[in-house]
């Protein structure tokens, strides 16, 4: 029974991360209709930048700065590579985002190096554990689950109760009608890149103490996140959470 | 299309011969090694160009097929089957000459497959796998197809990395030479065989090229282009789109596997990096640079870029160069380099010549 809880918690932790990556996919898919193959790289960038910034500033501000920097990177990527394309074909967009992911990865390899890094545990150390129904849980796991839940709730509130969020949803459901209503669809696309870069980076910060981060750690996460996004139905963020948890739990129990 | 493609083919063959002669007289014969390797990679590019440019189906897993061919031939020609000689199948193989005994590096006797049968086995296995996988995968479109083929490439990479018999992260080395004509032609890295190997590789390229060129000129090629243009419409016109897509996929996988087999014999080994996603992306990049539906462009770009990359001109930026090329081409010239504004004037001059030649 202890083992059951142990695996369960591990599954939920990974599931939470997969959900966050999948939500990142969904946000961009909703506003642009493209799959951003560089989504995993945002997670990697988050972890990497946070580790570097943590060298000369305290952890909370390092994470905050990381999220902001990655958001700016996301916005720049959208403005440079995507904003000015007129009716790009799907094949073209796929290849462009794959190219972006390679460039980010190679840049990370040259800026940092191929070493594996990690942020310190947010509270306690590697060996701190909380006893929960006989299972030993690292406090970092609680951080991961907590922050992922907060992100999901905030996103939900944002999309349902703020003007910006509603505008983004309008663009998702019908871009032309949204533009007729005076919504700047292009800005919404930029905003979607900013959002998904931001939550990707946040996810990268939170998991880096457990899973570590190196320049090539984005791609596997992106593939799993995409699986989850498909599993929950592309574009459906709340279903992605459930799908992510299912995949995470399945994965941890199948070991 | 008339004689245009034959003139192009002859021109290309002449270029291949003149490059060899230039390297002979300028004492840069060592270039031929990389040129041979880039020839084999170009075969993969030809197959992928047929699949992406003409049938319009993206595959980000083609390095997987390349590695499949290479690894199977490597295993079959290096694995020692003598402990299993009691097995009826194995003894039957060894009696009929499919398995041959040879000395390994350390002087011991090992019993392994004849390279010819290993090659046939590798290509046939890849074809079977491509058939099995292609059926469900090619039903997908757009992003889903890209991710599915990406997943396929990842699976093959993980299998290679995680299987003891495939050498895990070390790959397989000591693959024997593939003797085609004893004493005259063998596919191996021996310096004395360099020129023969160069011609063999580029001969294969030309044969594949002629085959694919004829294919796209035929009924099949028109069907493929109609699929690329509008799949539903061509379906409605009675084209069996699923069948054509599957057969193109299998053909390009088989070409990749064949290239993998010969490159493995040429290099005397294969490593897991041949199966990596980056390699697949690199093939896609080359096809994109050459112009999606432009076999000659893809072939020339494939030869050039692979050659530069293997000579190490890009240094540590190797992967970044390919990523950058991919983005730039897709942003500014999605039709490929040879179709940008730059060449428009030139094309206008040749338009009358083209008109009589094309379609």
């Amino acid at each position: 029974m202890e083992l059951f809880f142990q695996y369960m918690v591990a599954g939920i932790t990974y599931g939470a991360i997969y959900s966050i990556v999948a939500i990142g996919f969904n946000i961009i898919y909703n506003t642009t209709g493209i799959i951003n193959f560089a989504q995993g790289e945002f997670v990697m960038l988050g972890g990497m930048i946070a580790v570097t910034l943590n060298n000369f500033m305290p952890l909370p501000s390092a994470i905050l700065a990381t999220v902001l920097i990655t958001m700016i990177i996301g916005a720049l990527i959208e403005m440079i590579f995507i904003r000015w394309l007129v009716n790009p074909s799907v094949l073209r967009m796929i290849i462009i985002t794959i190219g972006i992911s390679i460039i980010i990865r190679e840049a990370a390899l040259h800026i940092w190096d191929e070493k594996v890094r990690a942020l310190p545990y947010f509270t306690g150390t590697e060996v701190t554990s909380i006893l929960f129904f006989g299972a030993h849980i690292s406090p970092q796991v609680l951080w991961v689950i907590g922050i992922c839940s907060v992100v999901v709730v905030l996103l939900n509130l944002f999309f349902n109760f703020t003007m910006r969020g509603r505008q983004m949803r309008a663009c998702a459901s019908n871009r032309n009608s949204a533009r007729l209503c005076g919504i700047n669809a292009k800005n919404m696309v930029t905003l979607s890149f900013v959002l998904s870069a931001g939550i990707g980076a946040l996810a990268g910060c939170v998991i880096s103490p457990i899973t570590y981060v190196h320049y090539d750690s984005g791609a596997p996460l992106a593939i799993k996140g995409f699986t989850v996004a498909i599993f929950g139905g592309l574009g459906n963020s709340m279903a992605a959470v459930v799908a992510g948890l299912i995949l995470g739990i399945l994965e941890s129990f199948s070991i | 299309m008339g004689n245009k493609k034959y003139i192009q083919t002859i021109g290309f063959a002449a270029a291949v011969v003149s490059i060899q002669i230039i390297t002979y007289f300028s004492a840069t014969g060592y270039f031929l090694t990389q040129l041979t390797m880039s020839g084999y990679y170009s075969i993969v590019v030809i197959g992928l160009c047929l699949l992406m440019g003409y049938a319009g189906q993206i595959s980000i897993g083609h390095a997987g097929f390349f590695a499949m061919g290479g690894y199977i031939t490597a295993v079959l020609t290096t694995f020692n089957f003598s402990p299993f000689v009691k097995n009826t199948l194995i003894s039957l193989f060894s009696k009929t000459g499919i398995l041959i005994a040879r000395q390994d590096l350390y002087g011991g006797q090992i019993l392994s497959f004849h390279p010819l049968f290993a090659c046939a086995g590798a290509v046939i296995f890849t074809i079977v796998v491509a058939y099995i996988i292609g059926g469900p995968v090619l039903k997908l479109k757009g992003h889903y197809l890209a991710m599915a083929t990406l997943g396929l490439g990842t699976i093959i990479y993980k299998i290679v990395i995680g299987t003891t018999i495939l050498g895990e992260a070390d790959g397989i080395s000591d693959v024997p030479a593939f003797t085609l004509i004893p004493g005259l032609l063998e596919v191996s890295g021996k310096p004395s065989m360099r020129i023969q190997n160069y011609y063999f590789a580029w001969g294969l390229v030309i044969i594949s090229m002629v085959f694919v060129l004829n294919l796209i000129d035929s009924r099949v090629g028109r069907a493929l282009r109609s699929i690329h243009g509008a799949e539903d419409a061509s379906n409605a016109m009675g084209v069996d789109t699923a069948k054509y897509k599957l057969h193109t996929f299998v053909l390009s996988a088989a070409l990749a596997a064949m290239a993998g087999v010969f490159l493995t014999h040429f290099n005397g080994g294969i490593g897991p990096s041949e199966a990596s996603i980056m390699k697949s992306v690199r093939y896609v990049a080359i096809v994109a640079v050459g112009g999606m539906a432009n076999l000659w462009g893809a072939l020339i770009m494939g030869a050039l870029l692979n050659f530069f990359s293997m000579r190490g001109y890009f240094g540590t930026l190797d992967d970044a160069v390919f990523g950058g090329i991919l983005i730039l081409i897709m942003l500014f010239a999605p039709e490929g380099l040879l179709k940008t504004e730059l060449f428009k004037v030139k094309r206008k001059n040749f338009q009358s010549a083209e008109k009589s030649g094309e379609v």
Side-chain angles (χ1 to χ4, degrees):
Chain A
M1 202 59 195
E2 287 86 36
L3 231 53
F4 176 80
F5 276 110
Q6 195 80 54
Y7 282 129
M8 195 70 175
V9 171
I12 291 173
T13 314
Y14 279 94
I17 296 302
Y18 298 157
S19 318
I20 290 287
V21 180
I23 291 174
F25 274 118
N26 282 336
I27 293 175
I28 292 182
Y29 180 81
N30 270 342
T31 46
T32 60
I34 63 175
I35 294 290
N36 176 21
F37 279 74
Q39 187 63 38
E41 264 58 41
F42 289 144
V43 181
M44 180 272 291
L45 273 183
M48 286 297 220
I49 296 175
V51 171
T52 308
L53 289 183
N54 192 38
N55 287 336
F56 37 80
M57 56 171 87
L59 193 61
S61 52
I63 290 175
L64 194 66
T66 303
V67 172
L68 285 177
I69 291 172
T70 319
M71 279 176 162
I72 293 169
I73 294 175
L76 283 179
I77 285 174
E78 198 275 336
M79 284 178 201
I80 295 171
F81 296 116
I82 290 159
R83 195 181 185 93
W84 52 277
L85 292 177
V86 186
N87 283 331
S89 70
V90 171
L91 190 65
R92 203 172 156 197
M93 291 315 303
I94 292 173
I95 295 179
I96 289 177
T97 53
I98 290 175
I100 293 171
S101 82
I102 293 170
I103 294 286
I104 296 179
R105 200 180 321 152
E106 290 297 309
L109 176 61
H110 281 86
I111 294 171
W112 294 281
D113 46 32
E114 71 293 334
K115 282 204 200 89
V116 173
R117 291 146 204 271
L119 278 176
Y121 278 64
F122 289 10
T123 42
T125 59
E126 295 96 82
V127 288
T128 323
S129 70
I130 300 162
L131 211 59
F132 174 77
F133 286 108
H136 293 278
I137 301 165
S138 159
Q140 189 64 28
V141 164
L142 299 179
W143 274 106
V144 173
I145 298 172
I147 288 185
C148 288
S149 328
V150 169
V151 166
V152 169
V153 170
L154 283 182
L155 273 179
N156 229 349
L157 291 177
F158 172 76
F159 279 121
N160 285 316
F161 297 105
T162 64
M163 199 58 187
R164 285 276 163 213
R166 287 178 178 177
Q167 287 178 346
M168 279 181 76
R169 283 201 302 151
C171 281
S173 69
N174 191 327
R175 195 174 165 135
N176 284 333
S177 313
R179 283 171 61 193
L180 285 176
C181 295
I183 298 170
N184 189 334
K186 291 204 162 170
N187 284 351
M188 290 303 131
V189 174
T190 316
L191 187 60
S192 74
F193 268 80
V194 168
L195 265 185
S196 69
I199 64 170
L202 187 60
C205 295
V206 197
I207 54 162
S208 93
I210 312 178
T211 60
Y212 302 115
V213 55
H214 68 134
Y215 81 101
D216 207 13
S217 63
L221 273 176
I223 290 178
K224 292 213 172 106
F226 184 77
T227 316
V228 168
I230 299 277
F231 194 17
L234 258 187
N236 189 343
S237 288
M238 288 310 114
V241 175
V242 182
L245 293 180
I246 292 174
L247 185 77
I249 291 169
L250 278 180
E251 204 178 66
S252 76
F253 274 103
S254 62
I255 292 170
Chain B
M1 187 103 167
N3 288 325
K4 194 185 166 204
K5 67 182 172 213
Y6 291 109
I7 294 168
Q8 284 172 332
T9 313
I10 291 166
F12 185 72
V16 168
V17 175
S18 48
I19 287 173
Q20 194 265 318
I21 292 169
I22 291 169
T23 56
Y24 181 76
F25 283 110
S26 60
T28 46
Y30 51 89
F31 277 165
L32 290 184
T33 308
Q34 282 82 26
L35 281 169
T36 310
M37 288 165 74
S38 76
Y40 289 129
Y41 286 125
S42 300
I43 296 178
V44 186
V45 171
I46 293 173
L48 191 61
C49 184
L50 177 69
L51 182 67
M52 276 176 62
Y54 289 89
Q57 310 299 312
I58 192 173
S59 168
I60 320 176
H62 247 57
F65 292 120
F66 181 88
M68 206 183 273
Y71 265 103
I72 290 170
T73 196
V75 167
L76 291 183
T77 52
T78 54
F79 190 75
N80 188 3
F81 285 93
S82 41
F84 308 103
V85 85
K86 292 267 159 41
N87 188 317
T88 24
L89 196 65
I90 299 292
S91 67
L92 183 75
F93 278 171
S94 72
K95 276 187 193 116
T96 49
I98 295 176
L99 283 170
I100 48 163
R102 62 179 175 88
Q103 284 200 327
D104 67 4
L105 267 186
Y106 313 105
Q109 281 284 322
I110 69 164
L111 188 67
S112 60
F113 272 82
H114 188 279
L116 193 63
F117 296 103
C119 167
V123 174
I124 290 169
F125 182 81
T126 311
I127 288 175
V128 171
V129 170
Y131 256 112
I132 295 170
I133 294 170
V137 163
L138 288 171
K139 287 207 176 78
L140 306 172
K141 284 194 189 74
H143 299 118
Y144 298 94
L145 179 64
M147 264 295 176
T149 51
L150 184 70
L152 172 67
T154 316
I155 290 170
I156 294 174
Y157 181 65
K158 292 282 174 195
I159 289 175
V160 166
I161 284 282
T163 315
T164 323
I165 197 173
L166 298 180
E168 293 174 345
D170 294 332
I172 299 176
S173 52
D174 304 333
V175 177
F178 187 168
T179 314
L180 289 155
I181 308 166
L184 263 181
L185 177 59
E186 57 172 51
V187 180
S188 71
K190 277 187 205 143
S192 60
M193 286 287 162
R194 202 187 263 147
I195 295 173
Q196 286 95 318
N197 265 306
Y198 171 77
Y199 278 114
F200 179 71
W202 285 98
L204 272 184
V205 171
I206 291 173
I207 292 170
S208 323
M209 196 66 188
V210 170
F211 177 68
V212 173
L213 278 175
N214 277 323
L215 188 73
I216 57 176
D217 255 358
S218 67
R219 191 185 166 83
V220 178
R222 286 188 290 276
L224 289 180
R225 264 176 280 188
S226 77
I227 293 172
H228 192 182
E231 193 172 333
D232 293 335
S234 72
N235 222 341
M237 297 304 286
V239 178
D240 190 347
T241 50
K243 191 185 89 182
Y244 278 114
K245 282 196 294 185
L246 180 59
H247 286 182
T248 315
F249 185 70
V250 171
L251 176 65
S252 71
L255 281 175
M258 185 183 77
V261 168
F262 285 113
L263 188 64
T264 305
H265 282 291
F266 180 68
N267 281 344
I270 186 167
S273 74
E274 290 298 344
S276 67
I277 294 301
M278 202 44 230
K279 279 273 178 193
S280 303
V281 172
R282 180 175 290 211
Y283 297 134
V284 174
I286 290 169
V287 172
V289 180
M292 286 290 183
N294 182 350
L295 276 167
W296 286 110
L299 175 58
I300 292 164
M301 283 301 159
L304 282 179
L305 287 176
N306 273 318
F307 177 69
F308 289 148
S309 154
M310 268 173 305
R311 289 296 307 171
Y313 290 148
F314 301 141
T316 53
L317 295 173
D318 204 32
D319 285 347
V321 165
F322 278 90
I325 287 174
L326 208 51
I327 296 182
L328 290 178
I329 291 293
M330 279 295 127
L331 284 181
F332 300 111
E335 303 285 296
L337 263 192
L338 299 174
K339 292 204 175 158
T340 47
E341 302 286 312
L342 245 158
F343 290 85
K344 226 169 202 171
V345 185
K346 209 174 144 204
R347 282 209 305 152
K348 211 168 259 173
N349 295 339
F350 286 103
Q351 217 146 46
S352 53
E354 256 178 28
K355 240 174 222 163
S356 59
E358 230 164 12
V359 188

